[in-house]
Amino acid sequence: MADTRLRDKLATKDFFVVPGIHDMITAVIADRVGFDVVYGTGYWLTASAYGMPDAGLVSYTQMLDRHATILKTSKAALIADADTGFGGLLNVQHTVRGYEAAGVSAIQIEDQEFPKKCGHTPGRKVIPVEDMVEKIKVAAEAREDMLIIARTDARQAEGMDAVLRRLEAYSKAGADILFPEAMESEEEMRLACSTFDKPVMANMANGGSTPILKGDVLKDIGYAFAIYPSLSSLIAASAIETAFVKLRDQGDGEPVDMPMFNFKEFCGLIGFQEVWDFEKKWAR
């Protein structure tokens, strides 16, 4: 049966926050904290798994594998980044069916030209609105219960008026959730949310073009929910660098001034208890 938790949360119209998942350690920590919806971020899954930039270099098969692994590891419902649908209309159909078969609750498709780029980096170009409308229509016809998120990257290339025109067209084509990427001010964010009756999502990308606002402010603006794709990755990268510098310079493998997760607890999170129970049952 389809996972309805994301639909149910949207139906309440109560604002909620969604952490970005960049690897399976992040996935089990999100479970431990209690998030019931998570976001499979294209940028950070690409960086963590393949050490490459989010520039259209990772294939449908590679990204589907990352999302499917999140779903096997995590107990949460998954919103999954699908870039441009990985090609033309037939590719979009294939992508939607593959993501839904894996258990994804909502698929995010954007209107960039291929090869696409991270939504908070320069040089992005968008396809004609008519082409994206066709992608949304194909996605809507291909899915069974999965929600469709239509993202536009038109703000920097075409301006705010184009963002609104595009999102209106995508909404009419069958998108369930609207995603105006890289808004540059609170005023633009309010305009995007007030224009549409459908849920609008915010991208709180640390270091990006959009102001990072607290949840209560985003709720007041009118967003249905916000994703935080870079939070875990950038904090983890900073902590790792600090620890490695201490290791290099001081030979310190257990710095007392840095928080460290308990190893035995982490073994439990990652599934070792089941291994130990199996070995106890079947030991000879």
Side-chain angles (χ1 to χ4, degrees), residues 3-270:
D3 189 328
T4 66
R5 285 177 291 177
L6 178 58
R7 282 186 181 273
D8 294 343
K9 290 177 82 71
L10 290 170
T12 68
K13 297 188 177 180
D14 290 333
F15 175 81
F16 57 98
V17 295
V18 180
I21 302 300
H22 69 267
D23 63 11
M24 302 315 125
I25 294 176
T26 320
V28 297
I29 296 298
D31 277 351
R32 176 184 171 91
V33 171
F35 285 104
D36 57 0
V37 179
V38 298
Y39 177 71
T41 160
Y43 184 114
W44 298 103
L45 286 170
T46 298
S48 67
Y50 305 108
M52 295 192 295
D54 181 19
L57 301 174
V58 173
S59 70
Y60 158 77
T61 303
Q62 289 172 306
M63 193 54 67
L64 177 62
D65 175 75
R66 294 292 81 205
H67 291 311
T69 305
I70 292 173
L71 286 160
K72 292 175 184 176
T73 306
S74 170
K75 300 179 178 68
L78 178 63
I79 300 169
D81 188 349
D83 292 348
T84 63
F86 302 102
L89 297 181
L90 189 61
N91 301 90
V92 170
Q93 180 192 67
H94 184 63
T95 297
V96 167
R97 289 176 175 175
Y99 272 47
E100 186 158 29
V104 168
S105 294
I107 186 170
Q108 173 195 310
I109 302 173
E110 62 206 48
D111 59 4
Q112 284 195 52
E113 289 185 0
F114 184 86
K116 57 87 63 184
K117 298 182 180 71
C118 166
H120 292 265
T121 57
R124 303 185 322 281
K125 297 179 181 179
V126 289
I127 61 176
V129 62
E130 297 81 8
D131 292 350
M132 182 63 173
V133 164
E134 290 297 294
K135 286 189 175 186
I136 298 300
K137 288 181 177 179
V138 167
E141 185 178 274
R143 58 91 178 268
E144 294 182 11
D145 298 302
M146 185 170 61
L147 297 173
I148 298 168
I149 300 173
R151 168 177 140 180
T152 182
D153 286 69
R155 170 62 187 87
Q156 285 66 38
E158 298 182 348
M160 194 62 195
D161 288 344
V163 168
L164 301 180
R165 290 196 303 270
R166 282 174 174 269
L167 290 180
E168 181 179 10
Y170 304 162
S171 176
K172 290 178 179 178
D176 303 292
I177 299 167
L178 305 177
F179 182 177
E181 175 65 304
M183 299 291 92
E184 295 186 351
S185 68
E186 184 174 333
E187 290 71 25
E188 290 183 357
M189 298 161 82
R190 289 187 180 275
L191 179 59
C193 289
S194 64
T195 301
F196 304 102
D197 292 331
K198 288 186 177 179
V200 179
M201 63 179 276
N203 184 9
M204 295 289 97
N206 305 90
S209 305
T210 304
I212 304 297
L213 304 175
K214 298 292 187 182
D216 58 347
V217 179
L218 295 171
K219 177 181 179 180
D220 179 70
I221 287 172
Y223 283 110
F225 65 94
I227 58 170
Y228 297 77
S230 59
L231 179 65
S232 64
S233 303
L234 292 176
I235 286 180
S238 179
I240 291 167
E241 182 180 50
T242 299
F244 280 4
V245 167
K246 289 179 179 291
L247 181 63
R248 181 196 65 194
D249 295 345
Q250 304 169 21
D252 188 354
E254 195 165 13
V256 295
D257 59 340
M258 295 187 67
M260 183 178 293
F261 207 93
N262 181 275
F263 176 65
K264 290 183 179 179
E265 289 185 21
F266 190 81
C267 284
L269 287 181
I270 210 69

